[in-house]
Amino acid sequence: PVLTRMRWYSQRPDLRQAITTSLTGLPAATARQKSPEFQAELIRAVVEAGDITARQVDEAFDPRDLVTYGSAVELWAAFRDRFPWEDARAQHRELIAWTLRTLLTERSGTDDGFRRPILCPIDVRAAIEPRVWQESIPIDLRTAVDEARVRHEIRKNKEPFNARNELAIVGPAHIAAHIPVVDLKPIIAAAEQTMAEEFSAGAFSHAVVSDGTQKTGPTPFPTPDRTRDEELPASSLRPSGLMKKVIAA
C-alpha cells in the first residue's frame, strides 16, 4: 500500500514530495511539509477519482529506493506469495530463469560487486524432486549429462561429477523451460532459508506447510536440515542486505 511505502520513506521527505507532486499536482513546498499519512491519503483519493491509475502509482516509486528503504522481508514475501506459480506462460518462466541465475551468481546486481552465492547448485537440485527432474528434463539433456559424467570421471581420475557440473549443462534457462513452474517453488523457499540464516536464531509464531495449513504457537527457528516442503513465513526473517540485493538485481 502507498501508506506503507511512504512510511518507509519517512526520513526521505524529498522522495515523498517528488512522488506526491508528480501524482497529485500538489505544489512542491506544500507537499514536502506533509506527513506520510497525508501524502498517502491524497494519492489514494486521486486514484479513486480516476485521475491516475494504479500503474502510474507503481511507476512513481523507483524499485531501487523501495529496496533501499523498504522492508526486504515484505518485498520478498510478496514476490513469493503473489507469483503465479500455476501459470506457465513464457514471461513467467523467463522471470524464474532470471531469478535462478541471480540466486546462483556471485555478482551483485546493485553495485557491480561480488558476494557469496545465495544458493549452490546442489541446493537447486535438492529442491527439485528427483522424479520431477527425470520426467521433465528432455532425454537429450539427461544424455548429455551422463556422457559428460563419464568423460569427466575418466579425465579427472574418477573425481566426482557434481551438481555444479550438471547445472553447467542443464542451466537455469533449461530448468525454467522444462520443469513445471509450481515444482520450482521449493527453490524460492531454499533461498529464503539461506538468507534467513545470516541472522541469529529467533522465534516465530507459525509456519506454512505445503498443503496450505499453518502450525501455530511458538516454534523454534528452523534448522538447515528442515524438510524441503516447509516454507518460512515472512515473519521469521529479518531485513538482509543479501536479500535486498536479490530483490533489486
Side-chain angles (χ1 to χ4, degrees):
V2 173
L3 178 56
T4 298
R5 303 185 198 193
M6 288 303 203
R7 284 173 173 167
W8 287 345
Y9 294 174
S10 60
Q11 302 304 312
R12 289 296 306 269
D14 55 325
L15 293 180
R16 291 188 283 108
Q17 174 267 306
I19 293 168
T20 303
T21 298
S22 68
L23 293 175
T24 70
L26 191 66
T30 303
R32 189 181 181 96
Q33 296 171 5
K34 299 302 181 181
S35 68
E37 291 74 19
F38 179 94
Q39 293 163 335
E41 178 60 25
L42 181 60
I43 292 171
R44 186 190 65 80
V46 173
V47 171
E48 290 183 350
D51 291 323
I52 59 174
T53 66
R55 178 178 291 276
Q56 287 175 287
V57 173
D58 274 338
E59 291 175 348
F61 289 84
D62 189 317
R64 292 168 296 183
D65 293 329
L66 287 172
V67 299
T68 298
Y69 300 104
S71 166
V73 172
E74 292 180 52
L75 291 167
W76 179 268
F79 164 69
R80 179 198 63 200
D81 295 339
R82 295 175 65 86
F83 189 86
W85 295 104
E86 301 291 344
D87 191 334
R89 276 182 283 183
Q91 59 264 42
H92 298 154
R93 290 185 177 275
E94 289 169 6
L95 178 56
I96 288 295
W98 178 89
T99 302
L100 292 180
R101 288 192 296 270
T102 302
L103 294 172
L104 289 164
T105 188
E106 295 179 349
R107 182 171 291 278
S108 168
T110 55
D111 55 15
D112 295 325
F114 290 87
R115 56 165 169 77
R116 175 178 56 82
I118 294 167
L119 291 181
C120 297
I122 188 59
D123 297 325
V124 173
R125 280 295 281 114
I128 302 172
E129 291 294 334
R131 181 177 293 277
V132 170
W133 179 274
Q134 294 297 325
E135 292 178 349
S136 303
I137 299 300
I139 184 64
D140 58 331
L141 286 173
R142 287 186 281 119
T143 300
V145 169
D146 284 343
E147 291 174 345
R149 177 179 292 107
V150 172
R151 290 197 303 269
H152 175 90
E153 295 197 17
I154 291 175
R155 187 173 62 252
K156 299 289 186 178
N157 192 27
K158 299 182 181 180
E159 176 185 302
F161 185 89
N162 57 33
R164 184 176 301 276
N165 303 122
E166 188 171 17
L167 261 61
I169 299 171
V170 186
H174 295 117
I175 292 173
H178 298 294
I179 293 179
V181 176
V182 69
D183 288 316
L184 299 177
K185 193 174 182 180
I187 297 176
I188 302 302
E192 192 167 312
Q193 171 70 20
T194 298
M195 290 185 283
E197 287 169 2
E198 288 189 345
F199 301 91
S200 59
F204 61 92
S205 60
H206 68 280
V208 181
V209 293
S210 58
D211 63 1
T213 60
Q214 291 187 348
K215 297 184 297 183
T216 57
T219 308
F221 196 92
T223 55
D225 62 349
R226 64 185 175 83
T227 57
R228 289 199 303 273
D229 62 348
E230 184 178 10
E231 296 177 15
L232 288 175
S235 60
S236 70
L237 304 178
R238 297 192 180 102
S240 159
L242 189 60
M243 189 183 297
K244 286 178 180 287
K245 288 180 178 180
V246 177
I247 299 168

